[in-house]
Amino acid sequence: MEKQDLRIVFMGTPEFAVETLKALIDNGYHVVAVVTQPDKPVGRHGSVLQPSAVKQYALEKGLPVLQPEKMKDPEFVEQLRSYNANLQVVVAFRMLPEVVWAMPEYGTFNVHAALLPQYRGAAPINWAVINGETTTGVTTFFLDHDIDTGRIIMQLPFDIPDDADVEYVYDGLMHLGAEICLKTLDKIIEADGHPESIEQKDYIAPSGLSDALAAVANSPLSTLHSPLKPAPKIFKETCEVNWNQTAKQVYDFVRGLSPYPGAWTTLKDADGKETLLKIFKTTKTTEAVEGRAGQLEVRNRKLYVACSDCWLQIDELQLAGKKRMDAPSFLNGIKDIKSLTCG
């Protein structure tokens, strides 16, 4: 099979997916159509429709764009079928029904921002950082009936520095995702549309994994026996800081949600008034706490909050209705820090 023999439908929505679509176009692949989410209402009254990042790029390149409300809509399914694609590539999209993912003769593969079977779900990048992982990566796998459970084609690792926030990891995996997509297409072409792939259950088998098994999917062996960790969608209540955790856990939690959607806590004064406070950057300390979790302290113009074991230095934060600022600027507007607590 040659590159020109592939007719590809690309599916994706956010900026993360644009990098992979761009790689396909720049490397001469024949993308016959793009599927993305319907335009999103924005503005004060929702009167303005905002196209997705993928749609904007696709239109710039003159690609046909499909925006179904429902993936099982017969009209959409027939329209999709009319493009005669023999492969579909999915990046940061939505769950597909079998009538869609099983349509092409070579199937549909997804680029997932984690080393599956770890971090199945909607927010794998955030949860990897929140959980203090030092390594994550990207995976390509064939779609099947369940979310993120299909046969793995390839994996590439990505190191997470201890001071990295989710934005850093997002950018790194965005580019690595484009790279693994091209490498996966090379394997598909070399195998005439049917590359070797591994069932995910083999990655979590208790024993007996061979070097050959790991080589097929290019997976770091260290990930194969770890307990599975999920990556569910993140909501506002997910982002509330628990000061009863260790300073390391809170430190990882903050950077796993920074800069968006942002970890938050409530700032309480002596009268019981509460104000929402977002925290974007912290520094770990090894200084043991002698007080209750959530207690605030200022020393040498630096702001600290007590966790279950140590003090955590707060470096960048944002009060509700205010701009993001550094801790010294925040302290300039606080009269009596000792009357305040967090959580």
Side-chain angles (χ1 to χ4, degrees), residues 321-334:
K322 304 292 184 180
K323 293 182 178 180
R324 179 171 171 173
M325 66 186 78
D326 59 25
S329 299
F330 168 78
L331 292 172
N332 287 337
I334 302 296

Side-chain angles (χ1 to χ4, degrees), residues 200-211 213 221 224-226:
Q200 289 191 37
K201 66 180 181 62
D202 292 332
Y203 279 72
I204 52 181
S207 61
L209 286 167
S210 65
D211 291 341
L213 175 64
L221 277 170
L224 299 180
H225 296 291
S226 303

Side-chain angles (χ1 to χ4, degrees), residues 2-36:
E2 302 295 330
K3 180 186 294 188
Q4 57 267 27
D5 296 328
L6 282 178
R7 293 177 56 85
I8 298 172
V9 165
F10 182 86
M11 300 184 182
T13 295
E15 176 195 19
F16 189 91
V18 173
E19 190 69 21
T20 300
L21 177 57
K22 183 177 184 297
L24 293 176
I25 300 302
D26 290 349
N27 283 273
Y29 282 97
H30 188 192
V31 178
V32 295
V34 170
V35 182
T36 190

Side-chain angles (χ1 to χ4, degrees), residues 12-13 35-40 52 55 66-69 93-94:
T13 295
V35 182
T36 190
Q37 295 278 44
D39 294 356
K40 185 178 180 180
S52 72
K55 178 181 178 179
L66 309 181
Q67 296 178 273
E69 291 282 351
F93 194 44
R94 57 201 282 191

Side-chain angles (χ1 to χ4, degrees), residues 251-326:
Y251 171 81
D252 290 335
F253 186 78
V254 169
R255 66 193 184 98
L257 296 169
S258 181
Y260 183 83
W264 64 270
T265 187
T266 51
L267 197 63
K268 300 177 183 178
D269 64 18
D271 297 324
K273 182 182 177 181
E274 297 184 355
T275 304
L276 189 141
L277 179 72
K278 283 194 172 184
I279 301 173
F280 297 100
K281 188 175 181 181
T282 65
T283 299
K284 291 175 291 182
T285 79
T286 57
E287 184 181 355
V289 165
E290 294 182 0
R292 72 178 188 84
Q295 177 183 336
L296 292 171
E297 189 170 298
V298 177
R299 284 177 267 125
N300 299 321
R301 299 292 295 162
K302 293 181 179 180
L303 177 63
Y304 298 88
V305 182
C307 298
S308 67
D309 59 346
C310 298
W311 291 97
L312 186 69
Q313 180 179 315
I314 308 300
D315 299 319
E316 295 182 18
L317 64 170
Q318 181 181 14
L319 276 171
K322 304 292 184 180
K323 293 182 178 180
R324 179 171 171 173
M325 66 186 78
D326 59 25

